[in-house]
Amino acid sequence: KVTDDIYSLELFHGPTLAFKDVGGRFMARLLGHFIRKEGKKQVNVLVATSGDTGSAVANGFLGVEGIHVYVLYPKGKVSDIQEKQFTTLGRNITALEVDGTFDDCQALVKSAFMDKELNGRLLLTSANSINVARFLPQAFYYFHAYAQLKRAGRADNVVICVPSGNFGNITAGLFGKRMGLPVKRFIASNNRNDIFYQYLRTGVYTPRPSIATIANAMDVGNPSNFARVLDLYGGNHAAITAEISGAAYTDGQIAETMKTVWQQKHYLLDPHGACGFRALSEGLRPGETGVFLETAHPAKFKDTVEGIIGETVAIPEKLQAFMRGTKQSLPMSKEFADFKKYLLAVND
Ligand SMILES: *Cc1c(COP(=O)(O)O)cnc(C)c1O
């Protein structure tokens, strides 16, 4: 409980301190289960990351038999903490440090999935957020939140607010509602990448290049799950706006929210959760109870958060343990021919 009417659903208690752990671990165990059952040969998961997806997927799959994970990330473009979370694991996780950008990493993975020879010799699969095995389990925690509010006698007019980037998280909540979860309505909160917010206002969807913000996991210019939201409502704009409203905040507003909530309530928001809290504090109507998804632990954004609140933020032991680990990565060029040669050689 953060204020009288606003609750935080803290989804950052997993191994990498972000909500993506839920989907990553569920998918890993599901895949492990089917590999055992069907006696398949080794499955290779290829994942391109700009930071957080790689760590959630790698930690989810760590030690799962029959699966090897290759994490491709852009050299020098992810933070120290992020890099340590997927380069220190070893075992069935290999980190490939690509001399290029995130887009180059993504292109290598896509080319691998398209390559006939590679797919003829190896079993390849993806672990991105469009994969239903990562996406569906996220519906569980909406039910868990509702159950807790029900016990607290606060479940009559529940509004759930989701800090959104690729819109996987909120879409899982919308699926939950279709499964029967009695949530009154949803709010999608954006940073300055407000493509969805503009769609709600105008009915026109105009993707554009993303811009960098302090809530960087939401810096998305063309949300990959928008198509799912549209499909769920038969493309009907009025039906969408009846159940989902939007909000969008600048870095200044996000920082102001973090600072005020820390000073007044002594609750430390991370920049993503701050978008969620603010949209509820501005948009909740009388009689409604709001829940926002706190998608990451504030210590994951230590420098930003400390700069805003003017105090040091303690790093949880889980995160410190990663920092003590030794980075192991293999350098890789951005040429597909090199990546292909490598995959064929290690799987020979
Ligand atoms: C990935 C991420 C988001 C955005 O989630 P989507 O499912 O892409 O909308 C929000 N906050 C954090 C901390 C994230 O890592």
Side-chain angles (χ1 to χ4, degrees):
K1 186 168 186 170
V2 181
T3 71
D4 285 347
D5 303 316
I6 301 177
Y7 292 77
S8 169
L9 180 66
E10 295 182 349
L11 300 173
F12 55 70
H13 297 283
T16 75
L17 309 184
F19 84 89
K20 291 186 176 71
D21 285 330
V22 178
R25 291 175 86 68
F26 185 90
M27 180 189 171
R29 275 143 191 80
L30 210 57
L31 204 54
H33 169 81
F34 285 113
I35 289 172
R36 273 196 307 280
K37 223 173 104 175
E38 291 167 21
K40 282 205 174 134
K41 61 173 184 173
Q42 174 171 290
V43 171
N44 299 285
V45 172
L46 306 182
V47 59
T49 186
S50 55
D52 282 341
T53 298
S55 52
V57 168
N59 282 274
F61 280 95
L62 182 64
V64 177
E65 262 176 58
I67 303 177
H68 198 98
V69 177
Y70 297 91
V71 181
L72 289 83
Y73 73 104
K75 179 184 163 82
K77 294 192 180 65
V78 307
S79 75
D80 262 7
I81 289 191
Q82 285 175 326
E83 190 179 34
K84 284 281 175 88
Q85 286 180 317
F86 55 80
T87 57
T88 56
L89 301 169
R91 298 168 74 183
N92 61 330
I93 312 297
T94 301
L96 300 173
E97 191 169 5
V98 176
D99 194 5
T101 61
F102 168 67
D103 292 333
D104 293 324
C105 298
Q106 187 111 308
L108 287 176
V109 169
K110 282 187 182 161
S111 302
F113 290 133
M114 304 287 286
D115 189 89
K116 277 219 175 74
E117 189 190 354
L118 216 44
N119 286 278
R121 303 214 355 222
L122 312 178
L123 272 176
L124 301 178
T125 187
S126 85
N128 65 16
S129 66
I130 317 182
N131 192 313
V132 287
R134 251 190 77 187
F135 153 84
L136 285 177
Q138 294 179 172
F140 300 164
Y141 47 66
Y142 288 88
F143 286 86
H144 184 58
Y146 181 83
Q148 291 181 74
L149 288 174
K150 183 95 184 163
R151 279 195 291 274
R154 298 295 303 263
D156 285 344
N157 290 294
V158 175
V159 180
I160 298 188
C161 181
V162 188
S164 296
N166 266 320
F167 282 70
N169 216 359
I170 194 168
T171 305
L174 300 172
F175 272 55
K177 187 163 157 72
R178 288 294 168 96
M179 292 177 209
L181 185 70
V183 166
K184 185 178 173 197
R185 61 190 182 94
F186 288 86
I187 304 176
S189 194
N190 285 154
N191 57 27
R192 279 179 59 219
N193 295 282
D194 65 349
I195 292 85
F196 186 77
Y197 179 61
Q198 294 306 334
Y199 165 77
L200 292 176
R201 288 185 46 192
T202 63
V204 183
Y205 181 69
T206 315
R208 45 171 216 266
S210 64
I211 46 178
T213 75
I214 59 171
N216 59 16
M218 289 155 48
D219 295 349
V220 178
N222 188 7
S224 52
N225 285 288
F226 178 72
R228 275 200 178 120
V229 177
L230 263 190
D231 196 59
L232 201 55
Y233 294 89
N236 185 331
H237 180 257
I240 292 175
T241 55
E243 281 190 356
I244 315 168
S245 59
Y249 299 109
T250 63
D251 279 0
Q253 291 172 311
I254 294 170
E256 180 192 42
T257 307
M258 290 165 65
K259 194 168 178 168
T260 312
V261 173
W262 176 246
Q263 285 171 348
Q264 295 179 356
K265 301 290 170 189
H266 228 70
Y267 188 79
L268 191 56
L269 295 160
D270 96 293
H272 308 82
C275 296
F277 176 88
R278 181 152 180 153
L280 284 175
S281 64
E282 290 178 356
L284 220 49
R285 298 169 199 146
E288 290 179 335
T289 300
V291 183
F292 67 98
L293 274 47
E294 222 335 341
T295 49
H297 192 289
K300 288 197 93 170
F301 311 94
K302 184 174 164 58
D303 295 344
T304 304
V305 177
E306 288 180 344
I308 291 166
I309 64 166
E311 292 176 37
T312 49
V313 173
I315 302 197
E317 171 49 35
K318 267 182 219 164
L319 216 48
Q320 288 182 33
F322 282 119
M323 298 304 284
R324 287 193 297 268
T326 308
K327 169 180 157 181
Q328 297 166 271
S329 68
L330 282 172
M332 182 62 57
S333 86
K334 61 179 180 188
E335 302 305 325
F336 176 62
D338 293 335
F339 181 47
K340 178 174 170 178
K341 208 165 98 191
Y342 166 76
L343 283 178
L344 287 173
V346 290
N347 285 282
D348 205 13

